[in-house]
Structure formats: structure tokens, C-alpha cells
Amino acid sequence: SLDVVKRELPKIIDSSASKHPQVISSLIDALMKCGDVSTAESIFEKSLGKSVEMYGAMMKGNVGIVNPSSRSMYTFCFQDTSQ
């Protein structure tokens, strides 16, 4: 549930696991599935080495969301990642 993900989030972010794209992808996926889009977007934006799986988790999570304040899944496909 979202409570478990939120409780473990600081531990994951502070650990060396946060440097592994698979861990970040799974975290984004879990947050999106639980409906916490803003936290998922924040983690995605802060990630330096964005992987295909991270983009996939964001896009897959945005497909079922009908929320005008949420970003379009296309935003993540075409954003500038050269920073």
C-alpha cells in the first residue's frame, strides 16, 4: 500500500539502492499505482540517469489517470534530459 511505500521511501532514497535504475523504476511504478503522482514525478525529475523503464513507469501510470492537473504522459517523452 501507499503507506508502506511512503514509509520506506526515505530509506531507499538515502541508500545506495537509489543509484540503481531498476529500484527507482519500481519505486515510481509503486507510487503511480497507488495514485501518488506528485511524488513519482518528483523522483523521476530528480533522477540523473533516466532509463527506459523509468519513462515506462511514468507513462504507464499516467495512462489511467484522468486528472487535468497531472502532466500528460507525452511530457515525459519529450522533456529535455540533457541537464
Side-chain angles (χ1 to χ4, degrees), residues 37 41 45 62 67-76 79:
V37 177
E41 286 178 348
E45 290 171 3
N62 271 316
N67 181 353
S69 67
S70 177
R71 292 183 181 187
S72 164
M73 69 177 150
Y74 298 107
T75 301
F76 298 103
Q79 79 179 39

Side-chain angles (χ1 to χ4, degrees), residues 44 55-56 58-59 72-81:
F44 179 84
Y55 280 97
M58 289 302 298
M59 290 175 22
S72 164
M73 69 177 150
Y74 298 107
T75 301
F76 298 103
C77 291
F78 299 108
Q79 79 179 39
D80 179 18
T81 60

Side-chain angles (χ1 to χ4, degrees), residues 24-77:
I24 299 299
S25 297
S26 297
L27 187 56
I28 290 170
D29 183 58
L31 289 164
M32 293 297 281
K33 285 180 178 175
C34 292
D36 190 352
V37 177
S38 61
T39 303
E41 286 178 348
S42 175
I43 291 170
F44 179 84
E45 290 171 3
K46 291 176 185 175
S47 298
L48 298 178
K50 292 176 179 65
S51 68
V52 172
E53 292 81 12
M54 287 182 203
Y55 280 97
M58 289 302 298
M59 290 175 22
K60 184 177 177 186
N62 271 316
V63 168
I65 297 173
V66 181
N67 181 353
S69 67
S70 177
R71 292 183 181 187
S72 164
M73 69 177 150
Y74 298 107
T75 301
F76 298 103
C77 291

